[in-house]
Amino acid sequence: TTSGAMGSKTIVFVIGGPGSGKGTQCERIVKKYGFTHFSSGDLLRAEVASGSSRGEELKAMMGRGDLVPLETILKLIKDNIASQPDSKGFLIDGYPREVQQGIEFEKVVGSCTFVLWVDVSQDTMVKRLLKRGETSGRVDDNEETIRKRLKTFVDSTEPVIKYYEEQNKVKRVDSERDVETVFADVEKIFDNLQ
Ligand code: B4P
């Protein structure tokens, strides 16, 4: 079933905890399958980098490990999707992070084809983020914020997985393993789409 402005285009929501490997897998998917990739975190960091006063507020929220307001992130994603009318499909990475974000997106943009759930233990997430924090310069890759991001994931984003599981739309990959091994499982999912 399709709805909204997108007709029958493939829309994949990529969901996983902080440091689960979503961004990493999305890069590979784009290279192999040619989807258009939007990372909600990258879009927000670009907004922060623009130096607007709005950006300053967003930076503070992200630095606390909080979710930014639904309207802000939905508008960024919607505008970016609208700018790529010829794309064959979209990977929406890091969105929805709360059930309401999913509901609003499907109302105004289009229905999600499936959810790719990049699943990994909390211990592994913390380890990967601390390692990245040594070089990333990200305001949120420090121990205190990482703990808060994990809590936000459990409280707000795990219900998203449940919401789409009830619609039989979730495809899970075990991201505990190295990047190539995880991607081999991702390939099985995307090969079956063609
Ligand atoms: P994001 O930018 O989405 O941050 P993230 O969860 O850390 O994911 P990222 O894609 O960067 O990292 P990945 O797991 O691939 O969000 C940042 C903040 O923005 C949020 O906290 C929130 O404040 C805000 N935000 C974003 N979306 C929002 C929304 N929809 N609504 C409201 N607010 C929103 O990789 C992590 C590390 O692990 C990397 O260093 C990578 O090299 C490594 N790694 C990955 N896979 C690995 C593997 N298999 N083995 C070993 N290492 C691996």
Side-chain angles (χ1 to χ4, degrees):
T1 55
T2 55
S3 63
M6 293 302 298
S8 60
K9 279 188 187 164
T10 304
I11 297 178
V12 182
F13 290 152
V14 184
I15 303 184
S20 57
K22 346 180 252 310
T24 308
Q25 293 301 320
C26 282
E27 272 177 39
R28 313 242 153 176
I29 296 167
V30 169
K31 259 191 218 138
K32 178 150 186 196
Y33 300 95
F35 280 71
T36 305
H37 171 216
F38 296 121
S39 153
S40 56
D42 287 351
L43 294 175
L44 291 167
R45 282 184 288 277
E47 189 68 25
V48 170
S50 77
S52 65
S53 59
R54 185 76 189 123
E56 281 303 307
E57 289 173 43
L58 296 175
K59 184 179 177 184
M61 291 175 212
M62 293 165 79
R64 288 193 299 268
D66 288 333
L67 295 179
V68 309
L70 187 158
E71 313 77 57
T72 305
I73 181 63
L74 179 56
K75 181 169 189 321
L76 282 172
I77 291 176
K78 207 176 116 192
D79 291 351
N80 276 279
I81 286 180
S83 75
Q84 303 276 332
D86 298 328
S87 174
K88 71 175 201 181
F90 296 92
L91 283 178
I92 316 288
D93 164 11
Y95 186 103
R97 265 180 157 86
E98 53 185 352
V99 171
Q100 202 55 33
Q101 287 187 2
I103 292 173
E104 292 298 324
F105 179 102
E106 294 196 292
K107 217 187 279 172
V108 300
V109 182
S111 68
C112 144
T113 312
F114 69 90
V115 172
L116 181 66
W117 173 23
V118 182
D119 187 18
V120 83
S121 69
Q122 295 213 358
D123 278 356
T124 301
M125 292 189 226
V126 172
K127 272 190 212 126
R128 287 180 187 169
L129 291 173
L130 287 176
K131 179 149 184 286
R132 184 173 69 184
E134 291 167 8
T135 55
S136 69
R138 273 175 56 163
V139 292
D140 55 352
D141 281 346
N142 61 78
E143 204 157 353
E144 193 189 340
T145 308
I146 290 167
R147 250 196 306 277
K148 181 64 200 303
R149 287 158 71 193
L150 283 173
K151 182 169 162 34
T152 303
F153 176 72
V154 171
D155 292 348
S156 302
T157 311
E158 283 185 352
V160 175
I161 297 166
K162 187 159 176 287
Y163 177 80
Y164 287 103
E165 266 173 347
E166 282 162 5
Q167 302 176 35
N168 276 320
K169 283 191 173 179
V170 175
K171 297 181 195 292
R172 173 187 172 276
V173 289
D174 173 4
S175 187
E176 209 64 53
R177 303 155 304 157
D178 64 82
V179 174
E180 291 307 328
T181 312
V182 178
F183 189 61
D185 281 356
V186 169
E187 284 177 310
K188 286 178 205 149
I189 294 169
F190 281 81
D191 284 342
N192 276 329
L193 277 184
Q194 321 289 316

